[in-house]
């Protein structure tokens, strides 16, 4: 017996598209390889739900890594991943880079993960006091990537048609 979400994923994959749903994320390498601290979801005024996850940081004991998704029509269209960034110098360490690659494998499997990791590393120590809305947007194929530092190092990926 195949569960409805699994069947939907199989049908969509057969049609050449990929579903970016909560169920698919919770089966992803990123979710499976990291220790979940907590998860939350809430209704959006614009419709749909927002999903937020907090995991143990991949290399810094006592710190956390956050992942958040914003859906459109039952599929995630935007996601972000974040790590502590309030140190005098922020760098994307190897554990964070592995987590970023796993995040990209889920939300943007067709994107050049190495190029995005390199871009994030170049932005990791660039502070934007006005928040993540001031981050520069860079296109990588079908996705836009925004990266920079406020209090945290934040990477946002937006899928575009």
């Amino acid at each position: 017996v195949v569960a409805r979400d699994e069947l939907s994923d199989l049908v969509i994959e057969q049609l050449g598209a990929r579903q970016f749903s909560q169920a698919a994320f919770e089966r992803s390498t990123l979710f499976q390889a990291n220790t979940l601290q907590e998860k939350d979801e809430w209704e959006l005024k614009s419709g749909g739900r927002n999903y937020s996850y907090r995991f143990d940081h991949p290399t810094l004991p006592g710190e956390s890594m956050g992942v958040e998704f914003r859906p459109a029509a039952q599929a995630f269209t935007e996601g972000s991943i974040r790590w502590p960034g309030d140190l005098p110098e922020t760098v994307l360490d190897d554990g964070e880079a592995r987590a970023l690659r796993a995040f990209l494998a889920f939300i943007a499997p067709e994107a050049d993960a190495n190029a995005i990791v390199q871009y994030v590393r170049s932005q990791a120590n660039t502070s934007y006091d006005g928040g993540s809305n001031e981050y520069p947007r860079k296109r990588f194929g079908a996705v836009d990537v925004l990266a920079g530092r406020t209090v945290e190092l934040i990477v946002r990926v937006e899928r575009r048609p």
Side-chain angles (χ1 to χ4, degrees):
V1 176
V2 176
R4 184 172 181 216
D5 283 340
E6 292 174 320
L7 181 59
S8 297
D9 287 350
L10 289 171
V11 169
I12 288 170
E13 286 174 16
Q14 291 294 319
L15 295 173
R18 179 154 177 210
Q19 184 177 22
F20 300 99
S21 65
Q22 177 186 18
F25 174 68
E26 291 182 2
R27 291 190 306 267
S28 75
T29 301
L30 177 62
F31 187 89
Q32 298 296 321
N34 291 282
T35 303
L36 181 68
Q37 292 178 355
E38 67 179 346
K39 73 178 188 177
D40 195 9
E41 60 184 82
W42 56 91
E43 295 289 330
L44 299 172
K45 290 181 183 178
S46 58
R49 299 184 74 71
N50 205 70
Y51 299 90
S52 178
Y53 300 84
R54 190 164 47 128
F55 299 93
D56 287 348
H57 190 282
T59 55
L60 298 174
E63 295 289 349
S64 63
M65 169 179 73
V67 176
E68 193 168 304
F69 292 102
R70 193 174 312 169
Q74 302 300 333
F76 295 145
T77 56
E78 181 180 311
S80 63
I81 187 166
R82 62 190 181 282
W83 303 274
D86 56 353
L87 305 172
E89 183 176 3
T90 301
V91 296
L92 184 73
D93 70 30
D94 290 341
E96 293 166 342
R98 279 190 302 277
L100 177 56
R101 283 186 175 89
F103 174 75
L104 293 167
F106 171 71
I107 197 160
E110 70 286 352
D112 183 347
N114 290 330
I116 294 173
V117 167
Q118 182 179 0
Y119 174 67
V120 170
R121 281 193 163 129
S122 75
Q123 287 291 107
N125 208 37
T126 305
S127 185
Y128 295 92
D129 294 331
S132 62
N133 288 334
E134 289 187 7
Y135 292 1
R137 179 181 308 270
K138 185 164 181 166
R139 182 165 288 268
F140 292 88
V143 297
D144 289 340
V145 176
L146 296 84
R149 179 177 97 165
T150 50
V151 173
E152 300 173 302
L153 171 57
I154 301 173
V155 179
R156 188 167 73 210
V157 176
E158 299 172 348
R159 298 191 57 76
R160 294 291 174 229

